[in-house]
Amino acid sequence: MMRFGILGAGGIGSYYAGMLSRAGHSVTLLARGDHLRAIRERGLEVWYPEGAFIAQPAATDVLDDLLQVDYLLLAVRGFSLPDVVPFLGVAGRAGTTIVSLLNGVDVAEQLEAGGVPRECILPGLVATSVVRVAPGVVARTRTIERVVIGELDHTATPRATALVEALRDAGIPVEISHDIHRDLWRKFALIVPINVVCGLMRGPIGPVLAIEEGRALIKRTLAEIVELSAACGTPLSAADWMCQPTCAAA
């Protein structure tokens, strides 16, 4: 049994709290308000395409309750990162591995700049669709689910292997990346064009790709991300670029 702390009780954090708790691990989830009360009163209800279950993770609104864990899954929104960095530094120096599941290509750098020891940071990414549908209830809405983790120095380590084994035993599809920086950029190249272009055109991706102007804007956005990745030291290849569903459709 491993000890997990989960910082961020939205869709991703709550879902993995439920999955890991059901598998018998010690899980403490930082939650607030109605969500916290619901979990304490009746447990955490998890829906997924194959069924549903109720898990019983420990739920708290006290940040220090997440100290003294083996792994701390970081699943807050990006804009909340500065608020939790001081605590993450304390947790890291106490021996906890900080597993970042946020979107973005520079989260590890932000953590390190905020005083979190580099050696305790284990970057990762999640590809799935999970939403918190009600207090105490979270749902994975698609069959697609993939977690990727990898060390910053691209080595295979016992802590990464142990985490992968725990996640797999909990029924979570996961793999170790041998180049986590590139994998983070690949996800960045997928989500940014969709978010930016759909926001600019005020519509979902289907209608955007149905017109020439939308397809052209997607391609220009992807091209800019490729240039940016090269400038940042992790150049995306043509294969990385063309494998994006939005680019293939465009």
Side-chain angles (χ1 to χ4, degrees):
M1 181 183 73
M2 289 185 176
R3 298 169 299 170
F4 286 93
I6 300 184
L7 184 49
I12 293 295
S14 296
Y15 177 73
Y16 290 123
M19 294 292 287
L20 289 164
S21 179
R22 181 179 66 162
H25 295 287
S26 172
V27 179
T28 303
L29 173 67
L30 187 75
R32 306 285 191 216
D34 291 343
H35 193 48
L36 173 63
R37 287 189 289 273
I39 295 171
R40 284 176 168 174
E41 291 173 2
R42 62 176 187 271
L44 176 60
E45 190 170 352
V46 179
W47 303 346
Y48 56 111
E50 299 81 11
F53 63 89
I54 296 176
Q56 302 290 339
T60 182
D61 57 358
V62 178
L63 198 54
D64 285 351
D65 288 346
L66 272 63
L67 291 171
Q68 306 302 322
V69 297
D70 301 310
Y71 297 93
L72 198 158
L73 306 188
L74 181 60
V76 299
R77 296 287 188 180
F79 55 75
S80 297
L81 196 57
D83 297 331
V84 299
V85 162
F87 169 79
L88 297 175
V90 173
R93 287 187 290 273
T96 294
T97 296
I98 310 299
V99 184
S100 169
L101 300 178
L102 281 72
N103 289 329
V105 296
D106 64 346
V107 175
E109 288 77 7
Q110 291 185 58
L111 293 175
E112 190 175 2
V116 181
R118 180 180 177 86
E119 61 271 15
C120 79
I121 301 171
L122 182 58
L125 64 88
V126 175
T128 191
S129 178
V130 184
V131 294
R132 204 176 75 189
V133 297
V137 183
V138 64
R140 174 163 60 85
T141 59
R142 297 182 182 178
T143 57
I144 297 172
E145 182 185 6
R146 177 173 173 255
V147 177
V148 181
I149 62 167
E151 297 284 0
L152 289 168
D153 62 2
H154 304 168
T155 61
T157 60
R159 69 175 183 179
T161 300
L163 176 59
V164 164
E165 290 176 353
L167 293 175
R168 284 179 178 163
D169 288 345
I172 300 167
V174 58
E175 61 190 72
I176 292 180
S177 169
H178 300 294
D179 191 346
I180 191 62
H181 297 92
R182 187 173 303 280
D183 283 326
L184 289 169
W185 273 101
R186 285 171 177 152
K187 183 177 181 183
F188 191 77
L190 170 65
I191 63 176
V192 169
I194 293 175
N195 292 342
V196 170
V197 174
C198 290
L200 287 172
M201 300 187 71
R202 299 185 180 182
I205 191 63
V208 169
L209 291 174
I211 60 174
E212 183 178 348
E213 293 87 349
R215 295 192 296 271
L217 189 54
I218 286 282
K219 287 183 177 179
R220 291 200 300 271
T221 306
L222 277 167
E224 185 173 339
I225 292 172
V226 170
E227 292 179 4
L228 180 61
S229 71
C232 292
T234 308
L236 292 175
S237 66
D240 292 321
W241 183 14
M242 293 305 297
C243 76
Q244 299 302 331
T246 47
C247 186

